[in-house]
Amino acid sequence: MKLSRRDFTKIGSKIVIGAATGPVIIDALVKKAQASESSPDGDYDWNKHYWGYVVDTTKCIGCGRCANACKRENEVPFDEPVYRTWIERYRKLKDGEMKIDSPNAGIDGFTDDIPEEEINKAFYVPKICNHCENAPCVQVCPVGATYTTNDGVILVDFEYCIGCRYCIQACPYGARYFNLEKGTADKCTWCYHRITKGLLPACVQACPVGARKFGDLKDPESIVNKILDKERINVLKPDLGTKPKVYYLGLDREVR
Amino acid sequence: MESLVWGYVYPNEAEIQWSILIVLYPYITGLVAGAFIASSLYHVFGNKEIKPVARFALLTALAFLCVAMLPLLAHLGNPLRGIEIMFTPHLTSAMSGFGYIFSFYFIVVVLEVWLAFRVDIVKTALNSRGWKELLYSALALFSYDISEKALEADEKLGKKLAIIGIPSAAFLHGYVGFIFGGIKANPWWSTPLMPIIFLMSAIVSGIALLILLYLIVIKIKKYPLNYNTLYSLAHYLWIFLIVDVVLELLEIISMKYEALEEIEIIEHLLAEKIAFTFYGIQLTMGALIPFILLLLVGVMKNRDKLKVVMVTISSVFIVIGVFAMRWNVVIGGQEISKSLAGTLTYEPVFFGQEGVLLAIIILILPLIILRVITYILPPWKDMIEENEEAVVSSE
């Protein structure tokens, strides 16, 4: 094939223009994506949603994929004992004793360290920040660095948190931890960067048995509302008046 | 790591969040509030027996107040943002008022010190030359009026300030108690008694500290010991100690009697984790023994030497006992898991931002500051003045 001079300049100029504008356009696209990730504007209207979470403890098999996915998705330090979600194992022994554990939050699964014949019953309970309607952590933050979004998610402003750790003390559920790198409190965001894009939180996405469910409480058709409308549900430590938005199915009285 | 944990604790609870520095903070503010209230016994309530140490007590309060903020700042993850608590306080937080209450109280104490020493400052300014004259003139704010009329106005203002000062001192410290008492997540902290327990133990520790510092000064400066002053302080110490211990026991007894959900873990805490520091140091050493000794000091006649020894021992024990009380609250409360199914152990480190070394430095610092302040504003003549009527006119 022979290229005419005219074709050659045409193609050449296209390449030059493409090379020059390409990065600019890509850059702009990336920036826009980042912007929509860090703030809920764009197409997402946080007044139109109010998020809720359901844990079906009867379904959990303790595989730990949720806790693993969470650490990877949210860059939670992998080798430190800090977690945004974890799985507890409850084993009621035949002698009446209740054995509770959560080795490395269940990320590596659980080992059978008690012979089966000694166990009366056993079950798993996934735990996560309850994003309480009446959140004690938000109440006690002395500078307002932790706050409730309009769509009902409790977040931490890492640029503002002074690192006094009062919120960690005030959370009855042990859902918060101290981020050594940032010098601030840190916690589950229900993967706010995902849910504002119409995606599910990583833990919900990763659960192979559907023990974790996430949805919009303002949407009557959401999976969460369908369960709340039909099932008998409970929350953790209801007597503390925190009004959690993580609802449990099959919650045993021993679970706190 | 594993052996430090008993039972089940939430995975995020592996690390104790509030270290020895946060034990120190209520301890130091307590000493401040206590020393201030001791000085008020003279400045407000006119108890003349306290007069020889009243101004010294004020300086002690000021010296400890200077470092009260340090343990908190050293503890913050982002110390430079600490000031945000002043600019953007989040008012639902029990902690948010801290900056304002602290600053207000600081101003009250500084003003009170200034008024109490104004005559001395002016006299020194007028009688000295060079840098000393400049320093004291500046301290006097270049106002040298010490006429009788001016002094009367001073005294009135001083009294008003002290009257504001007492509730502020009570508020400053009761408030620290509320920071813990208002945390419903922690059954060992969550009690409405916490502020008043903190306040009473603060007064007790402050008076005990004042007694010890007074005795040390007497020893160093070879002044004659004013027994009336010492016994009067011991008497107040005894009364506040009783109130303090009654409240502390009331809290434990009602917890045990009501036996709510959390009682098992609290029993475990008391029996396994803080048995020594609670029953041993806080209650026996810090309360029971001083209670008996101070009672004896109150009823015994003569035998002054023995009584001084007993007051000294009581004061040392109380100062240690109140520290143990702060420890048992702050550390003890964190050694139980909020799962109510396990405990963990705090292991203090020696070096580092939250180490024991820094804690010791922060505790010694106020004594150095006190030495400097008493060098600039010597309160010593109060201690040797025989004539109790003369307030300022003895020179």
Side-chain angles (χ1 to χ4, degrees), chain A residues 83 88 138-142 158 160-164 166 168-169 171 174 183 237 240 256, chain B residues 8 10-12 17-18 77-78 81 84 88 90 92-93 95 179 183-185 261 334 338-339:
Chain A
Y83 311 92
E88 293 171 354
V138 173
Q139 180 189 31
V140 303
C141 177
F158 300 120
Y160 213 72
C161 170
I162 62 174
C164 71
Y166 200 20
I168 304 178
Q169 304 288 4
C171 174
K237 301 188 181 182
L240 292 183
R256 281 185 288 239
Chain B
Y8 173 67
Y10 291 135
N12 281 331
Q17 299 295 336
W18 282 355
N78 283 293
R81 294 182 196 162
E84 295 294 352
T88 57
H90 182 235
T92 62
S93 168
M95 207 183 263
I179 286 181
I183 295 299
K184 62 186 170 190
E261 189 187 16
Q334 296 178 88
K338 285 180 275 191
S339 68

mmCIF file of all heavy atoms in Angstrom, chain A residues 83 88 138-142 158 160-164 166 168-169 171 174 183 237 240 256, chain B residues 8 10-12 17-18 77-78 81 84 88 90 92-93 95 179 183-185 261 334 338-339:
data_model
loop_
_atom_site.group_PDB
_atom_site.id
_atom_site.type_symbol
_atom_site.label_atom_id
_atom_site.label_comp_id
_atom_site.label_asym_id
_atom_site.label_seq_id
_atom_site.Cartn_x
_atom_site.Cartn_y
_atom_site.Cartn_z
ATOM 1 N N TYR A 83 -10.245 -3.479 62.166
ATOM 2 C CA TYR A 83 -11.214 -4.063 61.235
ATOM 3 C C TYR A 83 -12.447 -3.173 61.111
ATOM 4 O O TYR A 83 -12.899 -2.580 62.076
ATOM 5 C CB TYR A 83 -11.656 -5.444 61.735
ATOM 6 C CG TYR A 83 -10.495 -6.337 62.114
ATOM 7 C CD1 TYR A 83 -10.023 -6.361 63.424
ATOM 8 C CD2 TYR A 83 -9.858 -7.117 61.158
ATOM 9 C CE1 TYR A 83 -8.943 -7.161 63.779
ATOM 10 C CE2 TYR A 83 -8.782 -7.914 61.500
ATOM 11 C CZ TYR A 83 -8.329 -7.939 62.808
ATOM 12 O OH TYR A 83 -7.255 -8.718 63.153
ATOM 13 N N GLU A 88 -18.020 -13.123 64.218
ATOM 14 C CA GLU A 88 -17.851 -13.765 65.510
ATOM 15 C C GLU A 88 -18.404 -15.181 65.435
ATOM 16 O O GLU A 88 -19.428 -15.420 64.801
ATOM 17 C CB GLU A 88 -18.600 -12.974 66.598
ATOM 18 C CG GLU A 88 -17.989 -11.604 66.843
ATOM 19 C CD GLU A 88 -18.832 -10.723 67.762
ATOM 20 O OE1 GLU A 88 -19.960 -11.133 68.130
ATOM 21 O OE2 GLU A 88 -18.361 -9.623 68.108
ATOM 22 N N VAL A 138 -20.936 10.106 67.170
ATOM 23 C CA VAL A 138 -21.157 11.449 66.626
ATOM 24 C C VAL A 138 -21.405 12.427 67.772
ATOM 25 O O VAL A 138 -20.898 13.547 67.786
ATOM 26 C CB VAL A 138 -22.354 11.445 65.655
ATOM 27 C CG1 VAL A 138 -22.707 12.863 65.226
ATOM 28 C CG2 VAL A 138 -22.047 10.588 64.434
ATOM 29 N N GLN A 139 -22.155 11.949 68.754
ATOM 30 C CA GLN A 139 -22.463 12.799 69.908
ATOM 31 C C GLN A 139 -21.198 13.270 70.622
ATOM 32 O O GLN A 139 -21.079 14.438 70.981
ATOM 33 C CB GLN A 139 -23.335 12.023 70.906
ATOM 34 C CG GLN A 139 -23.699 12.830 72.138
ATOM 35 C CD GLN A 139 -24.387 11.985 73.209
ATOM 36 O OE1 GLN A 139 -24.130 10.795 73.354
ATOM 37 N NE2 GLN A 139 -25.273 12.607 73.954
ATOM 38 N N VAL A 140 -20.236 12.388 70.809
ATOM 39 C CA VAL A 140 -19.096 12.738 71.659
ATOM 40 C C VAL A 140 -17.941 13.400 70.926
ATOM 41 O O VAL A 140 -17.021 13.910 71.565
ATOM 42 C CB VAL A 140 -18.534 11.511 72.420
ATOM 43 C CG1 VAL A 140 -19.613 10.853 73.256
ATOM 44 C CG2 VAL A 140 -17.889 10.522 71.477
ATOM 45 N N CYS A 141 -17.957 13.417 69.606
ATOM 46 C CA CYS A 141 -16.814 14.008 68.890
ATOM 47 C C CYS A 141 -16.703 15.491 69.244
ATOM 48 O O CYS A 141 -17.629 16.261 69.003
ATOM 49 C CB CYS A 141 -16.961 13.861 67.379
ATOM 50 S SG CYS A 141 -15.595 14.654 66.499
ATOM 51 N N PRO A 142 -15.578 15.909 69.837
ATOM 52 C CA PRO A 142 -15.504 17.288 70.335
ATOM 53 C C PRO A 142 -15.404 18.344 69.248
ATOM 54 O O PRO A 142 -15.627 19.521 69.519
ATOM 55 C CB PRO A 142 -14.237 17.286 71.200
ATOM 56 C CG PRO A 142 -13.410 16.171 70.674
ATOM 57 C CD PRO A 142 -14.363 15.142 70.144
ATOM 58 N N PHE A 158 -11.209 12.843 57.881
ATOM 59 C CA PHE A 158 -9.814 12.604 58.282
ATOM 60 C C PHE A 158 -8.982 13.882 58.288
ATOM 61 O O PHE A 158 -7.909 13.927 58.860
ATOM 62 C CB PHE A 158 -9.164 11.581 57.341
ATOM 63 C CG PHE A 158 -9.860 10.260 57.346
ATOM 64 C CD1 PHE A 158 -10.399 9.738 56.186
ATOM 65 C CD2 PHE A 158 -9.990 9.540 58.532
ATOM 66 C CE1 PHE A 158 -11.052 8.518 56.198
ATOM 67 C CE2 PHE A 158 -10.644 8.321 58.548
ATOM 68 C CZ PHE A 158 -11.176 7.809 57.377
ATOM 69 N N TYR A 160 -10.002 16.517 59.628
ATOM 70 C CA TYR A 160 -10.459 17.344 60.735
ATOM 71 C C TYR A 160 -10.303 16.677 62.089
ATOM 72 O O TYR A 160 -10.154 17.344 63.107
ATOM 73 C CB TYR A 160 -11.927 17.703 60.497
ATOM 74 C CG TYR A 160 -12.266 19.056 61.031
ATOM 75 C CD1 TYR A 160 -11.793 20.199 60.396
ATOM 76 C CD2 TYR A 160 -13.011 19.197 62.191
ATOM 77 C CE1 TYR A 160 -12.065 21.442 60.907
ATOM 78 C CE2 TYR A 160 -13.296 20.447 62.697
ATOM 79 C CZ TYR A 160 -12.822 21.564 62.052
ATOM 80 O OH TYR A 160 -13.080 22.783 62.558
ATOM 81 N N CYS A 161 -10.348 15.336 62.072
ATOM 82 C CA CYS A 161 -10.281 14.569 63.324
ATOM 83 C C CYS A 161 -8.992 14.882 64.073
ATOM 84 O O CYS A 161 -7.912 14.881 63.489
ATOM 85 C CB CYS A 161 -10.362 13.083 63.001
ATOM 86 S SG CYS A 161 -10.025 12.003 64.387
ATOM 87 N N ILE A 162 -9.108 15.179 65.390
ATOM 88 C CA ILE A 162 -7.908 15.528 66.155
ATOM 89 C C ILE A 162 -7.261 14.291 66.772
ATOM 90 O O ILE A 162 -6.186 14.372 67.345
ATOM 91 C CB ILE A 162 -8.219 16.567 67.259
ATOM 92 C CG1 ILE A 162 -9.223 16.017 68.277
ATOM 93 C CG2 ILE A 162 -8.739 17.850 66.654
ATOM 94 C CD1 ILE A 162 -9.453 16.937 69.475
ATOM 95 N N GLY A 163 -7.951 13.161 66.687
ATOM 96 C CA GLY A 163 -7.367 11.925 67.198
ATOM 97 C C GLY A 163 -7.455 11.768 68.704
ATOM 98 O O GLY A 163 -6.551 11.216 69.315
ATOM 99 N N CYS A 164 -8.552 12.236 69.320
ATOM 100 C CA CYS A 164 -8.676 12.113 70.778
ATOM 101 C C CYS A 164 -9.205 10.743 71.177
ATOM 102 O O CYS A 164 -9.089 10.345 72.321
ATOM 103 C CB CYS A 164 -9.579 13.208 71.339
ATOM 104 S SG CYS A 164 -11.324 13.006 70.945
ATOM 105 N N TYR A 166 -12.138 9.684 71.628
ATOM 106 C CA TYR A 166 -13.330 9.636 72.475
ATOM 107 C C TYR A 166 -14.420 8.805 71.798
ATOM 108 O O TYR A 166 -15.155 8.071 72.437
ATOM 109 C CB TYR A 166 -13.806 11.068 72.724
ATOM 110 C CG TYR A 166 -14.715 11.253 73.923
ATOM 111 C CD1 TYR A 166 -14.770 10.315 74.946
ATOM 112 C CD2 TYR A 166 -15.499 12.405 74.038
ATOM 113 C CE1 TYR A 166 -15.587 10.509 76.037
ATOM 114 C CE2 TYR A 166 -16.315 12.609 75.135
ATOM 115 C CZ TYR A 166 -16.365 11.669 76.132
ATOM 116 O OH TYR A 166 -17.186 11.871 77.209
ATOM 117 N N ILE A 168 -14.035 6.276 69.879
ATOM 118 C CA ILE A 168 -13.750 4.843 69.993
ATOM 119 C C ILE A 168 -14.261 4.344 71.347
ATOM 120 O O ILE A 168 -14.829 3.261 71.454
ATOM 121 C CB ILE A 168 -12.238 4.578 69.833
ATOM 122 C CG1 ILE A 168 -11.750 5.160 68.506
ATOM 123 C CG2 ILE A 168 -11.942 3.094 69.939
ATOM 124 C CD1 ILE A 168 -10.254 4.987 68.257
ATOM 125 N N GLN A 169 -14.075 5.183 72.369
ATOM 126 C CA GLN A 169 -14.583 4.815 73.702
ATOM 127 C C GLN A 169 -16.110 4.774 73.714
ATOM 128 O O GLN A 169 -16.713 3.985 74.432
ATOM 129 C CB GLN A 169 -14.120 5.834 74.753
ATOM 130 C CG GLN A 169 -12.622 6.044 74.827
ATOM 131 C CD GLN A 169 -11.882 4.880 75.439
ATOM 132 O OE1 GLN A 169 -12.478 3.849 75.761
ATOM 133 N NE2 GLN A 169 -10.584 5.037 75.603
ATOM 134 N N CYS A 171 -18.280 4.129 71.286
ATOM 135 C CA CYS A 171 -18.996 3.144 70.464
ATOM 136 C C CYS A 171 -19.199 1.866 71.263
ATOM 137 O O CYS A 171 -18.238 1.228 71.680
ATOM 138 C CB CYS A 171 -18.206 2.833 69.191
ATOM 139 S SG CYS A 171 -18.976 1.485 68.258
ATOM 140 N N GLY A 174 -17.627 -1.612 69.429
ATOM 141 C CA GLY A 174 -16.237 -1.851 69.041
ATOM 142 C C GLY A 174 -16.019 -1.711 67.551
ATOM 143 O O GLY A 174 -15.145 -2.349 66.975
ATOM 144 N N GLY A 183 -3.433 9.115 62.237
ATOM 145 C CA GLY A 183 -3.580 9.711 63.559
ATOM 146 C C GLY A 183 -5.020 10.087 63.852
ATOM 147 O O GLY A 183 -5.287 11.021 64.610
ATOM 148 N N LYS A 237 -27.626 -4.605 71.214
ATOM 149 C CA LYS A 237 -27.727 -3.724 72.393
ATOM 150 C C LYS A 237 -28.848 -2.684 72.258
ATOM 151 O O LYS A 237 -28.589 -1.477 72.362
ATOM 152 C CB LYS A 237 -26.395 -3.014 72.643
ATOM 153 C CG LYS A 237 -25.235 -3.982 72.871
ATOM 154 C CD LYS A 237 -23.975 -3.239 73.303
ATOM 155 C CE LYS A 237 -22.826 -4.217 73.503
ATOM 156 N NZ LYS A 237 -21.588 -3.588 73.954
ATOM 157 N N LEU A 240 -29.435 0.362 74.734
ATOM 158 C CA LEU A 240 -28.605 1.566 74.816
ATOM 159 C C LEU A 240 -29.207 2.732 74.041
ATOM 160 O O LEU A 240 -28.697 3.845 74.076
ATOM 161 C CB LEU A 240 -27.194 1.280 74.310
ATOM 162 C CG LEU A 240 -26.360 0.344 75.185
ATOM 163 C CD1 LEU A 240 -24.958 0.191 74.615
ATOM 164 C CD2 LEU A 240 -26.270 0.850 76.620
ATOM 165 N N ARG A 256 -23.690 -9.845 71.957
ATOM 166 C CA ARG A 256 -23.705 -8.455 72.391
ATOM 167 C C ARG A 256 -22.823 -7.614 71.498
ATOM 168 O O ARG A 256 -21.881 -8.099 70.919
ATOM 169 C CB ARG A 256 -23.232 -8.343 73.846
ATOM 170 C CG ARG A 256 -24.340 -8.712 74.804
ATOM 171 C CD ARG A 256 -23.921 -8.484 76.234
ATOM 172 N NE ARG A 256 -22.955 -9.474 76.652
ATOM 173 C CZ ARG A 256 -23.127 -10.317 77.683
ATOM 174 N NH1 ARG A 256 -24.213 -10.272 78.397
ATOM 175 N NH2 ARG A 256 -22.196 -11.174 77.990
ATOM 176 N N TYR B 8 -13.648 -13.172 75.400
ATOM 177 C CA TYR B 8 -13.757 -12.606 74.062
ATOM 178 C C TYR B 8 -13.797 -11.079 74.113
ATOM 179 O O TYR B 8 -14.628 -10.495 74.799
ATOM 180 C CB TYR B 8 -15.013 -13.108 73.351
ATOM 181 C CG TYR B 8 -15.228 -12.408 72.027
ATOM 182 C CD1 TYR B 8 -14.339 -12.615 70.976
ATOM 183 C CD2 TYR B 8 -16.283 -11.525 71.844
ATOM 184 C CE1 TYR B 8 -14.495 -11.951 69.780
ATOM 185 C CE2 TYR B 8 -16.453 -10.860 70.638
ATOM 186 C CZ TYR B 8 -15.551 -11.073 69.611
ATOM 187 O OH TYR B 8 -15.692 -10.414 68.417
ATOM 188 N N TYR B 10 -13.804 -7.620 71.427
ATOM 189 C CA TYR B 10 -13.993 -7.250 70.025
ATOM 190 C C TYR B 10 -12.624 -7.118 69.352
ATOM 191 O O TYR B 10 -11.674 -6.635 69.981
ATOM 192 C CB TYR B 10 -14.741 -5.916 69.905
ATOM 193 C CG TYR B 10 -16.187 -5.943 70.330
ATOM 194 C CD1 TYR B 10 -16.714 -4.937 71.140
ATOM 195 C CD2 TYR B 10 -17.044 -6.966 69.925
ATOM 196 C CE1 TYR B 10 -18.055 -4.945 71.533
ATOM 197 C CE2 TYR B 10 -18.373 -6.977 70.307
ATOM 198 C CZ TYR B 10 -18.869 -5.966 71.112
ATOM 199 O OH TYR B 10 -20.186 -5.968 71.500
ATOM 200 N N PRO B 11 -12.527 -7.527 68.084
ATOM 201 C CA PRO B 11 -11.219 -7.498 67.417
ATOM 202 C C PRO B 11 -10.542 -6.129 67.460
ATOM 203 O O PRO B 11 -9.326 -6.042 67.545
ATOM 204 C CB PRO B 11 -11.558 -7.889 65.976
ATOM 205 C CG PRO B 11 -12.796 -8.705 66.082
ATOM 206 C CD PRO B 11 -13.571 -8.134 67.231
ATOM 207 N N ASN B 12 -11.327 -5.056 67.419
ATOM 208 C CA ASN B 12 -10.725 -3.719 67.437
ATOM 209 C C ASN B 12 -10.248 -3.292 68.810
ATOM 210 O O ASN B 12 -9.637 -2.230 68.962
ATOM 211 C CB ASN B 12 -11.729 -2.685 66.924
ATOM 212 C CG ASN B 12 -11.825 -2.692 65.414
ATOM 213 O OD1 ASN B 12 -10.863 -3.017 64.729
ATOM 214 N ND2 ASN B 12 -12.990 -2.363 64.901
ATOM 215 N N GLN B 17 -6.873 2.321 74.185
ATOM 216 C CA GLN B 17 -6.834 3.614 73.502
ATOM 217 C C GLN B 17 -6.319 4.747 74.381
ATOM 218 O O GLN B 17 -5.600 5.621 73.925
ATOM 219 C CB GLN B 17 -8.229 3.982 72.983
ATOM 220 C CG GLN B 17 -8.780 3.004 71.982
ATOM 221 C CD GLN B 17 -7.981 2.977 70.701
ATOM 222 O OE1 GLN B 17 -7.312 3.927 70.337
ATOM 223 N NE2 GLN B 17 -8.025 1.851 69.999
ATOM 224 N N TRP B 18 -6.748 4.742 75.635
ATOM 225 C CA TRP B 18 -6.366 5.857 76.513
ATOM 226 C C TRP B 18 -5.314 5.357 77.494
ATOM 227 O O TRP B 18 -5.589 4.517 78.353
ATOM 228 C CB TRP B 18 -7.590 6.413 77.231
ATOM 229 C CG TRP B 18 -8.407 7.301 76.340
ATOM 230 C CD1 TRP B 18 -8.094 7.689 75.063
ATOM 231 C CD2 TRP B 18 -9.655 7.923 76.652
ATOM 232 N NE1 TRP B 18 -9.083 8.501 74.563
ATOM 233 C CE2 TRP B 18 -10.059 8.667 75.511
ATOM 234 C CE3 TRP B 18 -10.480 7.936 77.774
ATOM 235 C CZ2 TRP B 18 -11.237 9.397 75.472
ATOM 236 C CZ3 TRP B 18 -11.660 8.668 77.735
ATOM 237 C CH2 TRP B 18 -12.024 9.396 76.597
ATOM 238 N N GLY B 77 -3.883 12.227 68.364
ATOM 239 C CA GLY B 77 -3.312 11.702 67.126
ATOM 240 C C GLY B 77 -2.814 12.826 66.234
ATOM 241 O O GLY B 77 -1.861 12.681 65.486
ATOM 242 N N ASN B 78 -3.495 13.955 66.292
ATOM 243 C CA ASN B 78 -3.105 15.136 65.529
ATOM 244 C C ASN B 78 -3.067 16.342 66.466
ATOM 245 O O ASN B 78 -3.993 17.162 66.479
ATOM 246 C CB ASN B 78 -4.100 15.400 64.390
ATOM 247 C CG ASN B 78 -3.885 14.468 63.222
ATOM 248 O OD1 ASN B 78 -2.874 14.540 62.545
ATOM 249 N ND2 ASN B 78 -4.827 13.571 63.011
ATOM 250 N N ARG B 81 -4.100 19.882 65.528
ATOM 251 C CA ARG B 81 -5.519 20.212 65.300
ATOM 252 C C ARG B 81 -6.255 20.419 66.612
ATOM 253 O O ARG B 81 -7.443 20.729 66.616
ATOM 254 C CB ARG B 81 -6.193 19.087 64.530
ATOM 255 C CG ARG B 81 -5.671 18.929 63.123
ATOM 256 C CD ARG B 81 -6.423 17.816 62.421
ATOM 257 N NE ARG B 81 -5.722 17.391 61.222
ATOM 258 C CZ ARG B 81 -5.947 16.246 60.608
ATOM 259 N NH1 ARG B 81 -6.857 15.412 61.082
ATOM 260 N NH2 ARG B 81 -5.281 15.930 59.523
ATOM 261 N N GLU B 84 -8.755 23.159 67.290
ATOM 262 C CA GLU B 84 -10.089 23.168 66.681
ATOM 263 C C GLU B 84 -11.189 23.060 67.739
ATOM 264 O O GLU B 84 -12.331 23.461 67.516
ATOM 265 C CB GLU B 84 -10.237 22.021 65.677
ATOM 266 C CG GLU B 84 -9.334 22.114 64.465
ATOM 267 C CD GLU B 84 -9.659 23.289 63.567
ATOM 268 O OE1 GLU B 84 -10.686 23.957 63.791
ATOM 269 O OE2 GLU B 84 -8.865 23.543 62.639
ATOM 270 N N THR B 88 -14.114 25.267 66.609
ATOM 271 C CA THR B 88 -15.347 24.609 66.154
ATOM 272 C C THR B 88 -15.777 23.544 67.162
ATOM 273 O O THR B 88 -15.776 22.360 66.859
ATOM 274 C CB THR B 88 -15.155 23.935 64.784
ATOM 275 O OG1 THR B 88 -14.060 23.001 64.902
ATOM 276 C CG2 THR B 88 -14.875 24.919 63.696
ATOM 277 N N HIS B 90 -17.949 21.035 69.035
ATOM 278 C CA HIS B 90 -19.183 20.322 68.692
ATOM 279 C C HIS B 90 -19.950 20.147 69.993
ATOM 280 O O HIS B 90 -19.585 19.335 70.839
ATOM 281 C CB HIS B 90 -18.809 18.968 68.068
ATOM 282 C CG HIS B 90 -19.972 18.169 67.622
ATOM 283 N ND1 HIS B 90 -20.199 16.885 68.053
ATOM 284 C CD2 HIS B 90 -20.996 18.467 66.791
ATOM 285 C CE1 HIS B 90 -21.311 16.433 67.497
ATOM 286 N NE2 HIS B 90 -21.800 17.367 66.724
ATOM 287 N N THR B 92 -22.560 18.915 71.338
ATOM 288 C CA THR B 92 -23.154 17.744 71.990
ATOM 289 C C THR B 92 -22.091 16.905 72.676
ATOM 290 O O THR B 92 -22.406 15.975 73.412
ATOM 291 C CB THR B 92 -23.891 16.846 70.985
ATOM 292 O OG1 THR B 92 -22.951 16.358 70.022
ATOM 293 C CG2 THR B 92 -25.004 17.587 70.281
ATOM 294 N N SER B 93 -20.836 17.219 72.427
ATOM 295 C CA SER B 93 -19.772 16.420 73.020
ATOM 296 C C SER B 93 -19.413 16.920 74.403
ATOM 297 O O SER B 93 -19.209 18.115 74.608
ATOM 298 C CB SER B 93 -18.521 16.465 72.142
ATOM 299 O OG SER B 93 -17.425 15.927 72.852
ATOM 300 N N MET B 95 -16.749 16.617 75.700
ATOM 301 C CA MET B 95 -15.370 17.078 75.678
ATOM 302 C C MET B 95 -15.219 18.465 75.065
ATOM 303 O O MET B 95 -14.208 19.125 75.258
ATOM 304 C CB MET B 95 -14.537 16.076 74.869
ATOM 305 C CG MET B 95 -13.086 16.001 75.250
ATOM 306 S SD MET B 95 -12.237 14.859 74.157
ATOM 307 C CE MET B 95 -12.240 13.377 75.121
ATOM 308 N N ILE B 179 -16.990 13.366 81.501
ATOM 309 C CA ILE B 179 -16.428 12.818 80.254
ATOM 310 C C ILE B 179 -16.441 11.289 80.320
ATOM 311 O O ILE B 179 -16.719 10.615 79.335
ATOM 312 C CB ILE B 179 -15.004 13.373 80.019
ATOM 313 C CG1 ILE B 179 -15.107 14.829 79.578
ATOM 314 C CG2 ILE B 179 -14.244 12.533 78.980
ATOM 315 C CD1 ILE B 179 -13.783 15.489 79.280
ATOM 316 N N ILE B 183 -20.434 8.033 79.286
ATOM 317 C CA ILE B 183 -20.213 7.040 78.225
ATOM 318 C C ILE B 183 -21.013 5.769 78.508
ATOM 319 O O ILE B 183 -20.597 4.902 79.271
ATOM 320 C CB ILE B 183 -18.705 6.717 78.098
ATOM 321 C CG1 ILE B 183 -17.961 7.955 77.624
ATOM 322 C CG2 ILE B 183 -18.460 5.568 77.123
ATOM 323 C CD1 ILE B 183 -18.399 8.457 76.262
ATOM 324 N N LYS B 184 -22.175 5.676 77.884
ATOM 325 C CA LYS B 184 -23.052 4.542 78.168
ATOM 326 C C LYS B 184 -22.484 3.224 77.656
ATOM 327 O O LYS B 184 -22.898 2.153 78.084
ATOM 328 C CB LYS B 184 -24.435 4.783 77.589
ATOM 329 C CG LYS B 184 -24.456 4.925 76.071
ATOM 330 C CD LYS B 184 -25.852 5.321 75.592
ATOM 331 C CE LYS B 184 -25.843 5.707 74.128
ATOM 332 N NZ LYS B 184 -27.105 6.321 73.704
ATOM 333 N N ALA B 185 -21.530 3.312 76.726
ATOM 334 C CA ALA B 185 -20.953 2.090 76.167
ATOM 335 C C ALA B 185 -20.130 1.339 77.209
ATOM 336 O O ALA B 185 -19.898 0.152 77.083
ATOM 337 C CB ALA B 185 -20.072 2.425 74.966
ATOM 338 N N GLU B 261 -26.778 -6.784 83.729
ATOM 339 C CA GLU B 261 -26.103 -7.612 82.735
ATOM 340 C C GLU B 261 -24.572 -7.603 82.870
ATOM 341 O O GLU B 261 -23.908 -8.621 82.733
ATOM 342 C CB GLU B 261 -26.502 -7.068 81.359
ATOM 343 C CG GLU B 261 -26.096 -7.905 80.199
ATOM 344 C CD GLU B 261 -26.397 -7.184 78.879
ATOM 345 O OE1 GLU B 261 -26.626 -5.969 78.894
ATOM 346 O OE2 GLU B 261 -26.389 -7.857 77.849
ATOM 347 N N GLN B 334 -11.101 0.456 80.526
ATOM 348 C CA GLN B 334 -10.730 -0.028 79.196
ATOM 349 C C GLN B 334 -10.274 -1.476 79.210
ATOM 350 O O GLN B 334 -10.083 -2.066 78.154
ATOM 351 C CB GLN B 334 -9.607 0.845 78.630
ATOM 352 C CG GLN B 334 -10.035 2.274 78.415
ATOM 353 C CD GLN B 334 -8.876 3.106 77.900
ATOM 354 O OE1 GLN B 334 -8.644 3.187 76.705
ATOM 355 N NE2 GLN B 334 -8.126 3.702 78.799
ATOM 356 N N LYS B 338 -16.186 -4.242 75.661
ATOM 357 C CA LYS B 338 -17.579 -3.839 75.537
ATOM 358 C C LYS B 338 -18.459 -4.989 75.046
ATOM 359 O O LYS B 338 -19.671 -4.864 75.002
ATOM 360 C CB LYS B 338 -17.678 -2.606 74.639
ATOM 361 C CG LYS B 338 -17.195 -1.363 75.394
ATOM 362 C CD LYS B 338 -17.249 -0.106 74.577
ATOM 363 C CE LYS B 338 -16.013 0.054 73.753
ATOM 364 N NZ LYS B 338 -15.890 1.390 73.141
ATOM 365 N N SER B 339 -17.809 -6.106 74.735
ATOM 366 C CA SER B 339 -18.583 -7.321 74.461
ATOM 367 C C SER B 339 -19.118 -7.889 75.780
ATOM 368 O O SER B 339 -19.944 -8.798 75.773
ATOM 369 C CB SER B 339 -17.692 -8.367 73.803
ATOM 370 O OG SER B 339 -16.720 -8.831 74.726
#
